[in-house]
Each structure stands twice: as structure tokens, then as C-alpha cells.
Amino acid sequence: MSQTLDDLLQRQEHARQLRLASRPKFRRINSLDRIPEHPSQDESENEDKTSPHRHFIKLRRQRTADGSLLRSQDKSSSSSTNFLLFGPQLVMRLLLTLIRSILYIPLSIAAPSFWLSALLWIFWKLLRVPIGLVKWLLSGDEEQQPGAVQRQRTVLLSGGSTMQTLHMARNFYGSGARVVVFEFEGLFGLARFSSSVDKFYVVPKPSSANAEQYIDALCHIVRKERPTVYVPVCATSPAYYDSLAKPHLELLGCASFVPGVQETQQLDDCLQLFQRCEAQRITLPPHTVITAQEQLQQLYEQGFAGGYRHIFMACGMQGVMERHKYILPHRRVELPKFNQHEISERQPWLVVRDQPGYHHYVTCTTVKDSRVVANVSCRVEHHTKNLIPVRRDDEAQIELWLRSFFAKVRFQRSINGHISFRLVKSPAHGGQFVPLGVRLGVALPYICHNRSHAQVLCRAIKCMCIHRRDTEEVEARRWSWSWSTLERNGSTAALDKREALFAYWDPLPYCAYYHFQLPLESVKLFLQRRNRSETKSLSATRIAAPVH
């Protein structure tokens, strides 16, 4: 029996020796193979002294023992360090909790599209890197050819808070141009979030007191970015200040797609425009000029203002720079509300009778050398003020009226720029279109254009640049403008701002508008109405047209 037990112990010892010999050099310290089979058995006595594992095991044991000893010795120092860092860690935890409760939780619940748009924007930014690399590799052969353009065309746009500027920036970007946008201080920079905008600037808002500062800011941007052309949108400021800056920018090599100062005053001043139309026998609505408060009272006595809707517009420099426009009240007792405005020979006002019950139209007309090169028109819905694309027959009549207008009304210099006409189709005049007003700048119907309009505009810009170099050659070789270069959409549905703002490759402006700009505008409008009710200031209703 004892011999059998001895044989069994020898076999177990032999198996243990085989396991130790076949084990890797680096193994876990707490392995079960290290535990002896018998409590009185010492592993070191049975191992071979020449084994390469013995010294390693002893070192590991010693390191383990030293490590546990060191950890026990560092307990006091770690506790003192934790005590010193308790205050900063508590502040950081409170700060992170506050940020999470203020920003993360509301945005994750109320605005999940914000994170989706942000992820799409980041994805598109990362995707642009390999795309740009491929474009650079493909354009390497073209750059080596003689006469190739070495510098990308840069376009400067204004009105970075409007949808017109955002849409125009996307069109120019799709046409291969580099886009730089600026906006005035205090306005929400919607175009800042667009991937089609390369640079975004903030400049002081122009006024009669700081016009020089505004011109200096534009010149600084032109010197830094070297744009080829400046296209003012003129939606948040009058075009008069851009016309003042035009000669300064042209001296720096930047063409301005805006008329001169004299032509701007003649177009933005409704009184001068109506006088020119009367001289050329263009049909106009009933209107009268007011140069004193007594004449305004006489309109009610003579019955001119009764039973009709009349538009009360400022003329002269006040109309050009301030753009005051009101609806004339039906009752005479409400006239004292207009006493805060000056009405005199120096500051005349124009009363224009609106055509009741007839459709109003708004155009966005691109003019080059006093010729219409592109136009898009929309009908203004009476109740909702939404813009609806016009039908084919109305569009053809509007284009015919525009060509006739620029053929009859001549200016001292050729007109280059965007002009918005407000027309009404009057059956009282045989179904002809009658102008109610005009304004320089890009109107909201521009969002009906696609990138083909930017290509047409680039051709106009190229023609302007060539015209400065060689006038005779350009006059001999006239550019042929084709209306078919613009894609026409046959839909008669109202223009949807959501559809105009959203682009799958540029989703962030959509989220910035509906989750930041629109709530801020609502709060601002609420505070303005509250201040009006408290101070009982002027409550005359302005024209609620979204295009001007």
C-alpha cells in the first residue's frame, strides 16, 4: 500500500515538473501551479537550481512584496493629495453638472436634430479632406498648362444673416468660387455656419455718422482676401453706402456689382423713379406728393384717401437711407402719429394708391449694362404674405415689362446690380403691370435660383473685368445672355424656408436658424411689442412684405 502511495506521489511530482518546464517565461504570479501539493512541501527545494525560472520567480516575489510595502507607505501621501484636490475636483464636478443640465439635457430632449446636424457637418468636414486631395491631384495637370488660372475666384457677399446670402454663397461655391461673407454688428451670422463660406467677418453697421468706418472695413477685407467682385445683398442696409464704397473698392482691384451713387439715388428714391416713368409714359398708379402736414389733411377732405389702401413712402435722402414706408390710416384722427417725421420741401413724401384685390408681384432682377440678364418673380399672397412662384404667362409678361422699362428709362451710366421691383397687375389699366416701388438689392425670390445663376453672374463679372482692360474689344464682342441658363420650376407651391435652408451637404445653417436665430427673433419681437405698449409710441403699421 505504501509502495502504491509512493508511486502516486512520484507521478504527481513528475507531472508537476513537466508543467513547470513547459510553462512560458512570463506568467502570472498568483498561478495555482505555484501552490505546493503538500503544506510542508517547499517549492524551492524540489526545483532545479539551474532552472531559468527560479531566479525570475524570486524576483517577482520580491517585487510583489516591495510593491505592497510601497503601497502601504504611500497611503498617507495619497490621502493628503486627495485632500488638497478635493476643492478643485468638487468645483469641476459642479461645473460639469451645471453645463450638462443647461446645455446637454435640453438639447438632447428638445432639439435632437442639433446633434444630428452637427454630426453631419463634422462628417462632411472630414469627407472634404480626401475630396479636396483628389481635386488637387486631378487639377495638377491643368495648373501646369500655360495660361491656366493660378488663383481661385473669390467673391465677397454682404448680409450674412439672410437666406438670400446663404443661397447665393452656396451657388457660388457650387460654381467653384471661394466665398467670403460679412455681416453687421448685432445681427445673427447665419452664413457663418455654412461650409460653403470660407471666411466670415463682422463690420460696423453703416449710418450717416460712420460711413467712413464702413468703407474702411470693406477696404480692409478686400486687401486681406483679394476678392474679384463684391456683390452687396442690401437686405439689412440700404445700397447707398455700398455705392459710396464702390470707387474705393475698384481702386483695390475689386469690381462692385452695384450702381453708382447717382443711379442708386434715382432708383431707391420712389419720387424720382415715378417722375422718370411719367416722362417715358409708363403706366403708374394714382399718387400724389406731400410736402406739408396740411396737404396730408387735405387728402381726407378731398376724398382721395377714403375707401382705398394707400402707401405712405419717404422720398429724397430720407427714403434712400431710411426706407420709411407705412400704411396710411383710414381715419384722420390717427394722423398725429406721423408728426415725428419731417414733411417739407426738403423731405417730401409720396402717397401711392394700392390696387385692392389684385395680385402683387415681387421680382429679383439681375441687370448687367442696363440689360436684364436674369429674373425670377413671385406672387405675394394677400393674407399670409407667402411667396408663390408665378406661372409661365405672368412670368413672360413681367420679363417683357422689365425689358421695356430699361429700354425706356435711361441713366447717365450703365446699371449693374440686383434690383427688386414690386408690381401689381391692374385690370383697370388693361391687365398691365403697374410699379408700386423699387429697391436695390437681392430680394427673397432669389432662392428660386440654382447655381446656374451664379454661372451667369460669373460671366457678367468676367465681362466687367475685361471691360476695364479693353473697352473696344468688349463692345465689339457682345455677350449673349440666354434665359434658358436658369432652371425653371413649374411648381406653384409657396416657397418653403425649411426647404431653402436645408442642404444635405450643408445642414448646420438649417439647425442654427430654427434653434438659435428664430427663437432670438421671437424674444426680440416680444420685447419690442412690450416696450411699445408701455411707452405708447408710434403704432403705425409697416408693410408686412417679407421681401423688402
Side-chain angles (χ1 to χ4, degrees), residues 266-267 269-278 405 437-438:
Q266 294 173 355
L267 286 171
D269 187 0
C270 293
L271 180 57
Q272 295 191 36
L273 178 68
F274 275 39
Q275 291 174 353
R276 285 177 169 270
C277 291
E278 286 181 345
F405 173 83
V438 65

Side-chain angles (χ1 to χ4, degrees), residues 223-237:
R223 292 191 190 97
K224 186 176 180 180
E225 302 297 337
R226 308 298 299 173
T228 306
V229 67
Y230 167 50
V231 183
V233 176
C234 303
T236 55
S237 68

Side-chain angles (χ1 to χ4, degrees), residues 351-368:
V351 178
V352 181
R353 177 176 295 176
D354 192 6
Q355 303 295 320
Y358 304 139
H359 294 309
H360 289 222
Y361 298 86
V362 177
T363 72
C364 181
T365 309
T366 306
V367 181
K368 172 67 179 70

Side-chain angles (χ1 to χ4, degrees), residues 103-362:
L103 296 180
Y104 178 76
I105 295 178
L107 289 176
S108 62
I109 297 176
S113 59
F114 172 81
W115 304 110
L116 179 61
S117 301
L119 291 176
L120 290 175
W121 181 76
I122 295 174
F123 172 75
W124 176 249
K125 286 291 185 182
L126 296 177
L127 190 63
R128 287 180 62 187
V129 176
I131 293 177
L133 181 61
V134 173
K135 288 182 179 180
W136 179 76
L137 293 176
L138 293 177
S139 61
D141 298 336
E142 297 179 0
E143 294 180 355
Q144 296 177 359
Q145 296 178 0
V149 179
Q150 299 294 332
R151 185 169 62 90
Q152 186 182 17
R153 185 188 303 276
T154 302
V155 180
L156 178 63
L157 305 178
S158 66
S161 62
T162 61
M163 284 188 289
Q164 301 96 295
T165 301
L166 176 63
H167 198 73
M168 185 178 292
R170 289 173 175 174
N171 288 342
F172 275 112
Y173 176 77
S175 300
R178 174 176 172 265
V179 183
V180 179
V181 180
F182 72 87
E183 185 51 290
F184 305 127
E185 297 175 350
L187 297 178
F188 186 80
L190 179 64
R192 184 197 303 269
F193 301 93
S194 176
S195 59
S196 59
V197 176
D198 187 70
K199 290 290 184 64
F200 188 89
Y201 291 89
V202 178
V203 301
K205 189 173 183 178
S207 63
S208 57
N210 66 341
E212 296 181 357
Q213 298 179 5
Y214 174 68
I215 296 174
D216 293 340
L218 289 186
C219 292
H220 172 72
I221 297 175
V222 170
R223 292 191 190 97
K224 186 176 180 180
E225 302 297 337
R226 308 298 299 173
T228 306
V229 67
Y230 167 50
V231 183
V233 176
C234 303
T236 55
S237 68
Y240 175 74
Y241 300 104
D242 294 313
S243 63
L244 289 178
K246 179 178 181 178
H248 300 272
L249 301 182
E250 290 180 348
L251 289 177
L252 298 176
C254 177
S256 296
F257 201 67
V258 65
V261 177
Q262 183 178 357
E263 290 75 21
T264 300
Q265 294 178 0
Q266 294 173 355
L267 286 171
D268 267 349
D269 187 0
C270 293
L271 180 57
Q272 295 191 36
L273 178 68
F274 275 39
Q275 291 174 353
R276 285 177 169 270
C277 291
E278 286 181 345
Q280 299 298 329
R281 297 181 180 180
I282 297 177
T283 306
L284 294 174
H287 62 280
T288 182
V289 181
I290 303 298
T291 57
Q293 289 285 348
E294 294 76 11
Q295 296 180 357
L296 194 58
Q297 296 284 345
Q298 294 174 1
L299 292 179
Y300 292 88
E301 297 176 358
Q302 298 174 359
F304 181 82
Y308 294 97
R309 183 174 180 263
H310 291 83
I311 305 173
F312 193 50
M313 297 181 291
C315 303
M317 292 305 299
Q318 186 179 7
V320 172
M321 300 175 65
E322 302 296 336
R323 294 178 172 179
H324 291 307
K325 187 180 295 186
Y326 302 97
I327 298 298
L328 201 64
H330 294 286
R331 296 182 300 175
R332 189 188 305 180
V333 294
E334 299 179 3
L335 284 179
K337 298 177 181 179
F338 297 94
N339 291 336
Q340 69 173 1
H341 296 291
E342 180 184 357
I343 302 178
S344 61
E345 293 287 345
R346 189 174 62 90
Q347 296 291 346
W349 288 68
L350 185 65
V351 178
V352 181
R353 177 176 295 176
D354 192 6
Q355 303 295 320
Y358 304 139
H359 294 309
H360 289 222
Y361 298 86
V362 177

Side-chain angles (χ1 to χ4, degrees), residues 408-419:
K408 294 180 180 179
V409 180
R410 295 293 183 178
F411 298 90
Q412 184 176 358
R413 287 172 291 188
S414 60
I415 302 297
N416 297 315
H418 294 93
I419 305 176

Side-chain angles (χ1 to χ4, degrees), residues 377-441:
S377 304
C378 291
R379 179 172 59 86
V380 182
E381 197 172 357
H382 179 67
H383 299 287
T384 61
K385 304 301 179 183
N386 292 330
L387 297 180
I388 302 175
V390 298
R391 297 174 298 179
R392 291 280 183 175
D393 51 351
D394 292 337
E395 184 179 12
Q397 294 181 19
I398 291 174
E399 292 173 357
L400 182 62
W401 186 92
L402 291 173
R403 293 183 179 181
S404 175
F405 173 83
F406 284 101
K408 294 180 180 179
V409 180
R410 295 293 183 178
F411 298 90
Q412 184 176 358
R413 287 172 291 188
S414 60
I415 302 297
N416 297 315
H418 294 93
I419 305 176
S420 175
F421 290 90
R422 190 178 185 93
L423 306 173
V424 59
K425 192 174 184 180
S426 175
H429 298 85
Q432 297 181 1
F433 283 93
V434 178
L436 291 180
V438 65
R439 175 174 294 181
L440 287 174

